[in-house]
């Protein structure tokens, strides 16, 4: 038994299968039908109380989404061939980062590392406050709190954060996407790439904290928390891969040797020998919501979250309810796709273009992109429409899956709104904002749902001048909390559809006739 997530709801029996619902008894006709042998219908249980109105069933959008994705890929540039300037942070020289030094009896510091497909953000919980990490001492970039998820490797030698444009150096990027798309077949080399990047980031943060807080010089004991997109976290295989990578990165960060590929591969082989690795992996959406769950604005039942990053679009439908003071977050549906802001730039660019772009140019109008490419604005408009329609279809797929898993939600019975959080840097792009405003307007007629678009609550205990707003650091902030304080997430794979609760049959005077 689990509890219905409608406020004040009662126990709900969860079983496998599909609810067939109930029918009202038909009134007797005034005219007798022709005498013929008719099939006797199965007895229908009588319902006590009103029956909720049927929810319109939308057509399954999954095949539509696949066709749209194919057309979008054919019309877009390959993201790997694009040069997006803000994503190519240049290292400030060949900075050699010292290893992380820990004291077993030192004060606890928790590094929440939001290891993104294009950008990485970090927040450190230290001495009762949460410090947003400033990366400007190690790389050059537009926003000091955003670190491009790339590193550079010199031939036969060490590695540095950022993209080094110099002879003898190679740049490694697309690190997280390789892990997410490989499943159980992830290679040692791809895992080593992630180990190197996280270890370098960890070493920098350790040095940065020593310089930021004098108390840290007395000794620190570290924990490392890393996030995963909701759908990826729902996979045991992917979660274990990221946990192994995080454990190896922590080992490498603390080793006295310089960070090299050979040492990273050695650290991967050492993970089984670590008794207490002091690392963990959490679903990103639960961490994003941490400040909301503690705020007076929190309410129970169904929520939706859309995180538009530079590389991926992450959609999650989940419940919020409290039990014994703990936030429980069952996941009803989730989707993750390569439809982040850089894929919008690829669509605007077109299949033949090889120009240099900046992140901010994802907000250009069709006319402005047309002037940049010397092409008709109509062509740009068509490619943008393909991208926006692909985003909408991914959102629809998740919505329909959530309705199938939790049809008894008051939100799907049209009695309550679904609070929809739009997060990530891509959520600020005007064309994406307008598309989700349109989705919210049309959702009632298309999907039978009303959305209330909301912003995340900024906490008071985060330290740092946030240039891009709190929502871009919200995952890292949630990751920097004690593990026991992060909401308990229930994987969608463990949930059976939530069916209507069993109702007491009403005895009718004609039942014995």
């Amino acid at each position: 038994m689990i509890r219905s997530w409608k406020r004040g709801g009662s126990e709900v029996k969860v079983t496998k299968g599909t609810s067939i619902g109930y029918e009202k008894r038909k009134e007797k006709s005034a005219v007798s039908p022709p005498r013929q042998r008719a099939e006797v219908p199965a007895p229908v249980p009588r319902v006590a109380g009103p029956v909720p109105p049927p929810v319109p069933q939308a057509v399954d959008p999954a095949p539509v989404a696949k066709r749209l994705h194919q057309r979008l890929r054919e019309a877009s540039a390959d993201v790997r061939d694009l040069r997006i300037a803000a994503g190519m942070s240049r290292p400030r020289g060949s900075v050699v980062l010292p290893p992380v030094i820990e004291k077993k009896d030192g004060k606890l510091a928790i590094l929440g590392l939001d290891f993104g497909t294009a950008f990485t953000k970090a927040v450190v919980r230290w001495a009762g406050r949460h410090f947003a990490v400033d990366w400007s001492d190690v790389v050059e970039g537009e926003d000091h709190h955003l670190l491009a998820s790339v590193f550079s490797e010199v031939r036969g030698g060490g590695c540095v954060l950022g993209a080094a444009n110099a002879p003898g150096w190679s740049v490694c990027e697309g690190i997280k996407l390789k892990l997410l798309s490989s499943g159980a077949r992830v290679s040692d080399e791809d895992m080593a790439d992630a180990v190197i990047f996280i270890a370098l980031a960890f070493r920098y943060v350790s040095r940065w904290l020593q310089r930021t807080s004098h108390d840290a010089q007395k000794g620190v004991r570290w924990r490392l928390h890393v996030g995963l997109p909701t759908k990826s976290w729902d996979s045991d295989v992917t979660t274990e891969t990221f946990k192994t990578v995080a454990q190896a990165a922590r080992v490498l960060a603390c080793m006295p040797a310089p960070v090299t590929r050979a040492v990273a591969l050695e650290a991967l082989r050492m993970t089984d020998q670590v008794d207490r690795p002091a690392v963990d992996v959490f679903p990103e959406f639960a961490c994003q919501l941490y400040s909301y769950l503690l705020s007076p604005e929190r309410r129970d039942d169904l929520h939706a979250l859309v995180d538009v990053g530079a590389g991926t679009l992450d959609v999650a439908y989940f419940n919020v309810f409290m039990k014994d003071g703990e936030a429980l977050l069952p996941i009803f549906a989730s989707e993750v796709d390569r439809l982040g802001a850089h894929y919008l730039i690829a669509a605007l660019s077109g299949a033949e273009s090889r120009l240099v772009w900046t992140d901010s140019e994802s907000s250009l109008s069709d006319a402005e992109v047309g002037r940049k490419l010397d092409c008709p604005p109509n062509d740009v408009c068509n490619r943008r429409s393909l991208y926006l329609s692909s985003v909408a279809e991914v959102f629809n797929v998740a919505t329909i899956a959530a309705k199938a898993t939790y049809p008894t939600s008051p939100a799907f019975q049209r009695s309550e709104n679904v609070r929809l959080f739009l997060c990530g840097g891509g959520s600020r792009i005007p064309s994406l904002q307008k598309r989700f405003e349109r989705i919210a307007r049309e959702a009632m007629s298309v999907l039978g749902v009303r959305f209330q678009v909301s912003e995340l609550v900024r906490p008071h205990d985060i330290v740092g001048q946030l240039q891009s707003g709190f929502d871009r650091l919200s995952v890292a902030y949630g990751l920097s909390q004690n593990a026991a304080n992060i909401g308990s997430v229930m994987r969608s794979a463990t949930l059976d559809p939530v069916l209507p609760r069993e109702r007491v049959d009403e005895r009718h005077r004609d039942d014995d006739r």
Side-chain angles (χ1 to χ4, degrees), residues 260-284:
T260 65
R261 184 166 296 275
V263 182
L265 290 168
E266 181 185 346
L268 277 168
R269 292 189 289 268
M270 294 172 60
T271 54
D272 292 339
Q273 303 170 25
V274 180
D275 292 333
R276 291 183 150 186
V279 303
D280 217 334
V281 176
F282 296 97
E284 292 169 351

Side-chain angles (χ1 to χ4, degrees), residues 25 44-49 503-509 511:
R25 176 175 292 195
V44 179
R46 190 172 296 279
V47 180
R503 306 186 185 190
V504 179
D505 290 351
E506 179 185 33
R507 186 170 177 79
H508 194 274
R509 66 181 183 178
D511 284 351

Side-chain angles (χ1 to χ4, degrees), residues 72-86:
L72 177 63
R73 282 194 295 270
E74 291 170 357
S76 302
D78 190 325
V79 171
R80 294 169 297 183
D81 294 336
L82 290 177
R83 287 187 57 81
I84 301 176

Side-chain angles (χ1 to χ4, degrees), residues 39-118:
E39 293 184 4
V40 179
V44 179
R46 190 172 296 279
V47 180
V51 178
V55 178
Q57 296 298 312
V59 178
D60 181 6
V64 179
K66 289 179 181 177
R67 291 196 298 271
L68 275 169
H69 277 38
Q70 181 61 34
R71 290 168 58 198
L72 177 63
R73 282 194 295 270
E74 291 170 357
S76 302
D78 190 325
V79 171
R80 294 169 297 183
D81 294 336
L82 290 177
R83 287 187 57 81
I84 301 176
M88 304 296 284
S89 300
R90 290 180 296 176
R92 293 189 184 278
S94 299
V95 180
V96 178
L97 296 168
V100 175
I101 298 175
E102 289 191 281
K103 286 185 67 175
K104 290 184 179 180
D105 58 348
K107 191 181 294 184
L108 177 66
I110 302 176
L111 169 55
L113 193 71
D114 179 12
F115 170 32
T117 53

Side-chain angles (χ1 to χ4, degrees), residues 43 140 142 149 193 231 305 312 364 392 395 432 459 478 484:
E140 299 175 15
E142 293 179 2
S149 297
D193 287 344
K231 194 174 185 69
L305 185 143
T312 56
L364 292 179
F395 182 79
L432 271 166

Side-chain angles (χ1 to χ4, degrees), residues 235-503:
S235 162
D236 288 330
V237 172
T238 307
T239 300
E240 284 304 312
T241 295
F242 270 75
K243 191 171 286 188
T244 299
V245 164
Q247 290 172 351
R250 194 185 192 289
V251 169
L252 177 54
C254 296
M255 292 173 72
V259 175
T260 65
R261 184 166 296 275
V263 182
L265 290 168
E266 181 185 346
L268 277 168
R269 292 189 289 268
M270 294 172 60
T271 54
D272 292 339
Q273 303 170 25
V274 180
D275 292 333
R276 291 183 150 186
V279 303
D280 217 334
V281 176
F282 296 97
E284 292 169 351
F285 90 92
C287 300
Q288 274 177 310
L289 290 169
Y290 182 83
S291 60
Y292 167 71
L293 295 175
L294 295 181
S295 75
E297 296 183 26
R298 181 190 65 79
R299 70 182 187 199
D300 292 350
D301 209 70
L302 194 67
H303 292 67
L305 185 143
V306 176
D307 186 358
V308 189
T312 56
L313 168 74
D314 190 9
V315 181
Y317 274 88
F318 55 94
N319 237 8
V320 173
F321 71 102
M322 304 297 289
K323 183 176 181 180
D324 299 329
E326 180 185 18
L328 300 183
L329 306 170
I331 304 169
F332 291 121
S334 60
E335 293 293 330
V336 61
D337 211 319
R338 299 186 188 187
L339 286 171
H342 287 184
Y343 287 85
L344 170 58
I345 291 176
L348 298 178
S349 179
E352 304 302 322
S353 176
R354 294 295 181 270
L355 297 180
V356 176
W357 295 76
T358 65
D359 269 315
S360 60
E361 287 180 307
S362 60
S363 296
L364 292 179
S365 67
D366 295 338
E368 290 168 327
V369 174
R371 286 194 291 272
K372 178 181 175 76
L373 299 175
D374 192 21
C375 75
N378 242 12
D379 293 351
V380 179
C381 178
N382 291 337
R383 294 195 296 270
R384 188 194 299 272
S385 294
L386 276 175
Y387 168 82
L388 294 174
S389 297
S390 298
V391 168
E393 290 302 338
V394 169
F395 182 79
N396 288 350
V397 168
T399 305
I400 291 172
K403 291 178 72 173
T405 307
Y406 185 23
T408 57
S409 169
F412 293 140
Q413 303 299 333
R414 306 188 182 203
S415 60
E416 291 187 11
N417 296 339
V418 175
R419 181 163 279 182
L420 170 61
F421 294 103
L422 294 180
C423 312
S427 67
R428 297 177 179 81
I429 297 170
S431 56
L432 271 166
Q433 287 180 333
K434 289 178 182 176
R435 176 50 62 105
F436 276 100
E437 288 170 2
R438 175 180 163 185
I439 289 172
R441 284 196 309 271
E442 299 176 353
M444 177 53 77
S445 58
V446 176
L447 297 166
V449 186
R450 285 195 302 266
F451 289 105
Q452 174 189 338
V453 181
S454 304
E455 292 185 357
L456 291 172
V457 179
R458 174 173 173 158
H460 299 294
D461 59 354
I462 189 164
V463 180
Q465 297 296 322
L466 310 186
Q467 294 171 255
S468 299
F470 170 69
D471 69 304
R472 296 198 78 170
L473 284 166
S474 58
V475 173
Y477 174 78
L479 285 167
S480 68
Q481 307 297 329
N482 284 312
N485 294 340
I486 297 173
S488 179
V489 179
M490 303 163 67
R491 283 187 164 92
S492 59
T494 67
L495 298 178
D496 291 325
V498 180
L499 306 182
R501 64 184 178 186
E502 295 178 349
R503 306 186 185 190

